[in-house]
Amino acid sequence: MAPSGLKAVVGDKILNGVIKSVKKDGEWKVLIVDHMSMRILSSCCKMSDILAEGVTIVEDISKRREPISSLEAIYLITPEEKSVDALIKDFKDSAFTYKAAHVFFTDTCPNELFAKIGRSRVAKAVKTLKEINVAFLPYESQVFSLDDPSSFESFYSPKKRDERDKAIASVAEQIATLCDTLNECPAVRYYKESEENLKLADEIRRRLDAHKADNLKMGEGPDKARSQLLIVNRGFDPISPVLHELTFQAMAYDLLDIKQDIYSYQTTGIGNSKEREVLLDEDDELWVQLRHMHIADVTKKVTELLRTFCESKKMSTDNANIKDLSQMLKKMPQYQKELSMYSTHLHLAEACMNKFKATLNNVCEVEQDLAMGANAVGEPLKDAMKSIVPVLLSEIDAYDKIRIILLYIFHKKKGIPEENLTKLIQHANIRDDSKIITNIQNLGCNIIVGGQNAGKMLPERKERADSTYQLSRWTPIIKDIMENAIDDKLDRKQWPFISEPATITTTQTAVSARFGHWHKNRSPTEHRSGPRLIIFMIGGVSHSEMRSAYEVTRATDGKWEVLIGSTHILTPTSFLNDLKKLE
Amino acid sequence: MRDRLQHLHRVKTDSEGFSTVELNSLSELEPADPDQDLDGVLNEAQQIRLEIQQIQNDISELQDVNYQTINRTSFPSVTKRDSNTIGADIKRRGEAVLQQLHLMNDLRGELEARRGPSDPAVRIARTQYHCLSNALREVMFSYNDTEMSHREACKRHIKRQMEVVGREISEEELEEMMEGEELCVFSVHMEGKTIHSALMQLQSRQQELLELETRIQSIQELFLDVAVLVEEQGAAVENIEQSVQKAEVIVHDGTTQLENASTSDKNNPLKRMFCGCFPCYHS
């Protein structure tokens, strides 16, 4: 199944707009990338895809490269000094490193660098020079990332205050290219509680205007006037990135060591290979189906699907479990792809459950009570301290203890007295990591009573009756915001517009029951005619919040598409690590 | 997307007096040193690619033949090739491509030993080998799917024909029939042209199913070999970031070795004792 949404749009832009556009039959090309462009390319294209369009090798521009003078090179790079200098260097000597250069910049090339290219020999070897306006990573069909974890410090660390304006400009440009790529010119709103949100929103508005001058399609279409872009800071909901989630993707990334979206595990296949590495992305149809499901449902679902699959292929299924899969593979190797998929997800689910059963059963219950302020039957939490002390004294990781303490403090709404915090840190024996708790004040969160952020409150939450699992009662606050924005019920005082939007009519246009629904099942692409809600979170987005974007989209029955993104994708561990470095 | 080539032409300074036209024609001349290894790798890859395309063509032809045998009301007239011949060709080509891929991998190993693992020709060979292995697997899957769809179509046809004959057939009986058991049709009245034609159809469908099973059985080993081929390479090679980073690591090792070499060269006693005029200095 081809990826849909953002990945499809960007993949299409790169494959067709860049690689295919310079393809010549019978001639192979070299593709040169820098770090950012490699990440963008890797997130939406596979080696086979680009090979099919005439690229035979991908090289990193910052590394020493052997000349391949018989082939032309495509440079897909960010317009920054390091990359431009490397490009110039490739064509400096009399023997060019490659036969010719086709240069594609991810976004606008500044004048000085452009002039530098013009002055050098490479200008004579350049056959193509374009700016593609894709400076973001399409992480999933409805999730984007700017792939810059270091910006967390730029925005929130007091020692990096002077980097802040530069960070804002860079982020604003990247978001503008997102809107440009999607042909959106949304109304920009921001969460009033934090100054950064206003500054960023303002800068984005400026950049959008600049892009619109070149791309007239931005914002065109009757529904596009309703599109909105919301800027919000991480401190707005500090609970979601810290809570233990029990949905498949969130749980796997929290509990297991998954780097660069690759899951490794031991298994027996057909041959001798023992270690398998699997990429968890949208090319894996089963992953797309399972990733937002509760873990209790996942194993059930995979086993059921495997059983159905085996029956349809007439394979004996007495014990259709992980151990017998290698036998099945030997009997029916033509189903290697499907069988491997089932094996991977059974392993992954089992790994999550093993980690959970080892330490987390009690922890999750306490966390949910703290986050919700009430227990599973709805009785308000009376003595929170009593429930957390046994957990803090137990044999769990330091980071798990910190998460409990943070949730306790957020539960207290006004913060806790400093001596209580010291006592808690002592009890839990986490002196080395205690900085994390005080550092979170840099996000605007209330930690110490009467301290730095006194008076700041977390937003009110909606009452929801739809949770079926006791340990999954919490809903990320951003979901409330998404729903309100779509219903045009989002408070204008808390979420002001940067500039007055075109009049938003909420009256439903007459919808025919018989006609006009043929497009509903088409995968969303840039040509999507309905309005979009784009959320940008400064400082990282968690998996549960990503999940909310899909849930809210589905609830609108395809009328709206909700996209969410941030400077980077968080896991609870990476969030705590980021916080540690702030001061 | 913004095209800025014209802008570049306006901005560029003609420092060496070559016009773009002249330089284009210069670059069209023979490149400095044609890399024969690289050309060899790319040619080999192209050959394999063409063969895989040929298998795909065979599969399309098979789909046509399958379709025609079911949907013709009369007996199939002379087609260019029948399904067994095509199936045999697919098997033969698949096995040949597999062999070529093994050879390509051996070639890559030999190049790697000679030129080092970070050499572009070696890396190109590795990428081509990997992508072609995947392509072969995809095309074999496609063949399997084609045969499986045909099997389902035959089953449906048999069911319909049985209804014409006036006899319902259950799933188990259908399975038995596919395994070659003779079906007890003769208990019904067998008068009339319709019944006669239906019986002929039934017999040829049964024949086809048996032949199909034989084809799939005979190609089982090829499926297994291709599966092993792909499994051994792992999924990570498809990921562009992984391919680029693997190359990085190797290059880094290479530069470390170079640095070590230059340090040890500095300590070369000949260099330290004598001035630069001795011939052995510049070895």
Side-chain angles (χ1 to χ4, degrees):
Chain A
M1 183 186 79
S4 59
L6 275 174
K7 269 190 194 270
V9 173
V10 177
D12 181 76
K13 210 170 183 183
I14 294 184
L15 271 175
N16 289 318
V18 176
I19 301 183
K20 215 164 168 179
S21 73
V22 297
K23 180 181 179 185
K24 240 199 263 178
D25 270 334
E27 273 186 31
W28 290 100
K29 290 199 170 52
V30 181
L31 176 61
I32 324 265
V33 292
D34 59 21
H35 181 80
M36 178 73 179
S37 62
M38 172 189 69
R39 297 271 295 158
I40 297 174
L41 178 68
S42 197
S43 73
C44 59
C45 297
K46 300 275 178 268
M47 226 34 236
S48 309
D49 297 332
I50 60 177
L51 206 107
E53 302 303 344
V55 169
T56 188
I57 188 173
V58 184
E59 301 261 48
D60 182 334
I61 203 174
S62 59
K63 299 299 173 190
R64 184 183 68 83
R65 283 163 283 122
E66 300 282 338
I68 312 178
S69 51
S70 55
L71 302 184
E72 295 184 347
I74 302 175
Y75 288 81
L76 176 60
I77 51 180
T78 43
E80 52 177 35
E81 186 149 35
K82 224 173 69 152
S83 301
V84 170
D85 282 345
L87 165 66
I88 290 175
K89 189 156 162 243
D90 281 348
F91 293 85
K92 204 173 53 152
D93 305 317
S94 48
F96 289 166
T97 317
Y98 308 105
K99 201 163 152 194
H102 301 270
V103 181
F104 294 87
F105 285 119
T106 54
D107 59 297
T108 320
C109 182
N111 289 329
E112 325 84 63
L113 287 179
F114 200 83
K116 206 172 182 185
I117 298 175
R119 282 194 300 268
S120 62
R121 277 190 107 209
V122 68
K124 303 181 204 298
V126 167
K127 284 187 169 173
T128 313
L129 181 56
K130 289 189 178 157
E131 290 163 354
I132 66 170
N133 285 320
V134 177
F136 61 94
L137 230 157
Y139 186 69
E140 287 180 6
S141 56
Q142 288 174 237
V143 178
F144 62 94
S145 160
L146 304 186
D147 201 36
D148 189 10
S150 70
S151 55
F152 189 77
E153 275 188 72
S154 311
F155 277 98
Y156 297 123
S157 172
K159 36 183 188 168
K160 302 253 169 157
R161 271 232 133 83
D162 47 349
E163 285 182 17
R164 207 157 294 184
D165 285 337
K166 189 158 159 260
I168 289 179
S170 153
V171 166
E173 181 57 34
Q174 290 179 284
I175 297 178
T177 63
L178 169 72
C179 297
D180 191 322
T181 301
L182 296 172
N183 289 333
E184 292 279 352
C185 197
V188 184
R189 299 173 81 163
Y190 60 100
Y191 186 54
K192 195 142 181 277
E193 293 301 310
S194 170
E195 195 195 335
E196 261 56 59
N197 298 340
L198 167 58
K199 279 201 193 151
L200 180 58
D202 205 37
E203 190 63 34
I204 291 175
R205 177 81 255 154
R206 217 168 296 145
R207 306 284 175 138
L208 282 178
D209 288 340
H211 276 259
K212 183 144 182 164
D214 281 323
N215 178 3
L216 300 168
K217 284 201 274 183
M218 275 169 78
E220 241 177 46
D223 272 330
K224 293 300 183 184
R226 293 161 68 204
S227 291
Q228 291 181 41
L229 167 62
L230 267 49
I231 308 296
V232 65
N233 54 316
R234 183 63 265 171
F236 144 91
D237 175 4
I239 297 180
S240 297
V242 153
L243 203 61
H244 278 96
E245 282 278 336
L246 297 180
T247 49
F248 202 23
Q249 180 187 40
M251 195 174 181
Y253 277 76
D254 185 4
L255 303 180
L256 307 174
D257 187 25
I258 298 183
K259 293 205 170 62
Q260 295 179 333
D261 306 314
I262 294 179
Y263 170 56
S264 319
Y265 66 104
Q266 304 282 22
T267 186
T268 38
I270 319 174
N272 295 321
S273 33
K274 284 283 163 64
E275 172 97 17
R276 278 207 75 207
E277 281 185 334
V278 181
L279 193 60
L280 296 173
D281 75 349
E282 292 182 336
D283 273 332
D284 180 338
E285 301 166 14
L286 194 52
W287 174 245
V288 175
Q289 244 187 315
L290 300 171
R291 64 184 168 185
H292 298 142
M293 283 173 71
H294 193 277
I295 191 74
D297 296 328
V298 169
T299 315
K300 250 192 291 169
K301 183 92 181 148
V302 183
T303 319
E304 174 196 310
L305 286 170
L306 180 54
R307 192 149 294 167
T308 319
F309 182 78
C310 291
E311 272 167 15
S312 72
K313 309 290 174 203
K314 307 279 183 303
M315 276 194 269
S316 58
T317 60
D318 290 317
N319 271 318
N321 60 25
I322 303 173
K323 296 171 191 73
D324 281 354
L325 270 169
S326 61
Q327 286 306 312
M328 282 187 233
L329 269 172
K330 287 198 180 75
K331 266 192 270 172
M332 293 215 163
Q334 56 267 49
Y335 299 114
Q336 182 188 36
K337 250 204 203 157
E338 290 93 330
L339 291 173
S340 303
M341 236 175 16
Y342 293 121
S343 165
T344 299
H345 293 291
L346 283 172
H347 271 279
L348 189 56
E350 195 184 45
C352 289
M353 282 311 287
N354 287 344
K355 267 279 167 106
F356 176 78
K357 280 187 237 174
T359 51
L360 291 177
N361 216 329
N362 288 337
V363 171
C364 288
E365 190 177 336
V366 173
E367 282 187 355
Q368 289 293 316
D369 289 349
L370 288 169
M372 300 300 290
N375 67 8
V377 290
E379 293 166 351
L381 201 56
K382 276 187 245 61
D383 189 350
M385 184 63 88
K386 204 164 108 183
S387 21
I388 70 170
V389 169
V391 177
L392 291 179
L393 295 173
S394 70
E395 288 292 314
I396 56 175
D397 287 340
Y399 271 22
D400 287 334
K401 292 184 185 173
I402 294 196
R403 288 158 78 169
I404 288 271
I405 293 179
L406 282 171
L407 288 167
Y408 171 72
I409 298 175
F410 299 139
H411 166 70
K412 286 294 179 188
K413 298 203 196 300
K414 293 212 182 95
I416 60 174
E418 192 152 9
E419 62 258 16
N420 284 20
L421 179 59
T422 319
K423 267 202 223 125
L424 275 173
I425 293 173
Q426 252 181 347
H427 278 303
N429 196 11
I430 47 156
R431 183 92 42 81
D432 295 335
D433 296 320
S434 58
K435 244 198 326 177
I436 294 176
I437 301 175
T438 42
N439 281 355
I440 207 174
Q441 291 179 106
N442 288 302
L443 268 55
C445 302
N446 217 347
I447 298 288
I448 307 285
V449 172
Q452 187 175 332
N453 297 314
K456 289 216 179 137
M457 302 285 272
L458 291 181
E460 283 296 311
R461 293 192 50 249
K462 275 191 189 178
E463 284 295 313
R464 285 175 192 272
D466 46 30
S467 58
T468 40
Y469 288 99
Q470 279 190 8
L471 300 183
S472 297
R473 288 174 275 143
W474 170 258
T475 309
I477 305 177
I478 199 69
K479 191 170 179 183
D480 295 351
I481 307 301
M482 289 172 185
E483 290 171 348
N484 287 342
I486 286 178
D487 291 336
D488 197 29
K489 293 203 187 94
L490 196 57
D491 188 298
R492 285 202 181 201
K493 289 201 287 290
Q494 281 198 319
W495 296 82
F497 284 86
I498 277 286
S499 48
E500 270 310 306
T503 38
I504 296 178
T505 42
T506 48
T507 51
Q508 297 285 355
T509 44
V511 175
S512 158
R514 264 188 297 147
F515 301 113
H517 295 265
W518 59 274
H519 62 277
K520 269 197 182 150
N521 293 326
R522 277 208 296 187
S523 38
T525 66
E526 82 176 57
H527 306 295
R528 216 202 111 79
S529 54
R532 279 193 173 101
L533 175 63
I534 307 174
I535 315 267
F536 182 75
M537 214 165 239
I538 306 178
V541 66
S542 66
H543 290 99
S544 54
E545 291 163 323
M546 285 156 55
R547 187 188 75 230
S548 303
Y550 293 92
E551 290 171 347
V552 173
T553 302
R554 219 177 333 216
T556 70
D557 204 22
K559 290 200 199 70
W560 280 80
E561 183 181 34
V562 182
L563 303 179
I564 190 166
S566 179
T567 47
H568 57 301
I569 313 280
L570 291 172
T571 61
T573 308
S574 75
F575 184 52
L576 297 187
N577 285 337
D578 285 345
L579 284 169
K580 209 169 178 183
K581 289 188 282 190
L582 282 183
E583 279 193 70
Chain B
M1 249 192 242
R2 252 175 97 197
D3 192 332
R4 294 189 73 180
L5 194 59
Q6 294 307 318
H7 188 184
L8 182 69
H9 287 327
R10 286 200 300 273
V11 156
K12 84 182 167 201
T13 50
D14 214 337
S15 54
E16 290 177 23
F18 285 116
S19 74
T20 323
V21 174
E22 284 171 273
L23 260 166
N24 269 340
S25 58
L26 271 178
S27 68
E28 240 96 297
L29 294 175
E30 281 300 300
D33 274 322
D35 186 339
Q36 286 186 326
D37 286 332
L38 178 58
D39 288 340
V41 165
L42 291 175
N43 280 333
E44 188 58 36
Q46 191 61 9
Q47 292 305 314
I48 299 179
R49 185 162 284 109
L50 288 173
E51 265 307 286
I52 295 180
Q53 183 57 46
Q54 198 46 43
I55 300 179
Q56 190 56 54
N57 295 344
D58 284 346
I59 294 173
S60 302
E61 195 185 334
L62 181 62
Q63 281 172 332
D64 282 338
V65 169
N66 285 342
Y67 182 82
Q68 282 175 13
T69 42
I70 293 203
N71 291 292
R72 288 274 187 93
T73 46
S74 52
F75 288 117
S77 51
V78 176
T79 47
K80 290 212 196 87
R81 301 193 290 166
D82 75 352
S83 36
N84 282 334
T85 321
I86 304 176
D89 270 347
I90 291 178
K91 179 178 176 195
R92 184 180 49 79
R93 278 194 229 272
E95 285 167 350
V97 170
L98 189 60
Q99 272 305 98
Q100 281 176 289
L101 281 172
H102 286 312
L103 285 174
M104 188 175 196
N105 197 30
D106 291 340
L107 170 67
R108 193 227 1 113
E110 186 246 319
L111 276 177
E112 190 167 336
R114 200 166 18 99
R115 294 169 65 145
S118 62
D119 180 84
V122 172
R123 287 169 52 216
I124 287 175
R126 194 181 295 131
T127 318
Q128 292 283 352
Y129 170 65
H130 169 81
C131 290
L132 289 168
S133 307
N134 270 349
L136 177 61
R137 185 175 80 155
E138 288 304 312
V139 98
M140 293 311 296
F141 282 174
S142 164
Y143 169 63
N144 186 59
D145 287 342
T146 306
E147 295 281 40
M148 292 302 111
S149 320
H150 187 54
R151 184 207 261 167
E152 290 307 306
C154 285
K155 277 165 73 173
R156 283 196 297 276
H157 204 242
I158 288 177
K159 269 199 158 166
R160 267 210 309 280
Q161 296 297 340
M162 291 301 280
E163 282 162 24
V164 166
V165 173
R167 185 152 162 1
E168 298 265 315
I169 182 167
S170 67
E171 270 301 309
E172 290 96 48
E173 286 176 306
L174 204 52
E175 291 299 320
E176 281 171 23
M177 187 188 193
M178 278 162 56
E179 279 161 32
E181 303 272 332
E182 278 302 319
L183 205 51
C184 197
V185 256
F186 302 99
S187 57
V188 200
H189 296 301
M190 297 206 312
E191 310 279 309
K193 270 219 291 235
T194 330
I195 304 255
H196 180 74
S197 136
L199 281 175
M200 298 303 290
Q201 293 279 307
L202 276 170
Q203 276 179 350
S204 52
R205 284 303 82 71
Q206 185 179 24
Q207 183 62 19
E208 254 174 71
L209 281 174
L210 292 173
E211 285 174 6
L212 194 155
E213 287 302 312
T214 318
R215 287 201 295 275
I216 289 288
Q217 285 300 329
S218 78
I219 212 167
Q220 226 23 30
E221 201 175 320
L222 179 56
F223 278 131
L224 205 58
D225 289 338
V226 173
V228 171
L229 181 78
V230 171
E231 190 183 80
E232 274 166 3
Q233 293 178 53
V237 189
E238 267 284 42
N239 183 256
I240 295 176
E241 184 168 356
Q242 291 288 310
S243 315
V244 177
Q245 283 182 345
K246 278 202 175 101
E248 280 178 38
V249 169
I250 294 163
V251 171
H252 177 75
D253 282 343
T255 31
T256 322
Q257 282 175 8
L258 279 173
E259 278 164 13
N260 289 340
S262 69
T263 337
S264 57
D265 191 44
K266 274 201 213 114
N267 292 331
N268 185 338
L270 288 169
K271 274 197 180 174
R272 289 163 104 196
M273 281 201 289
F274 301 97
C275 63
C277 48
F278 250 74
C280 58
Y281 183 91
H282 289 294
S283 52

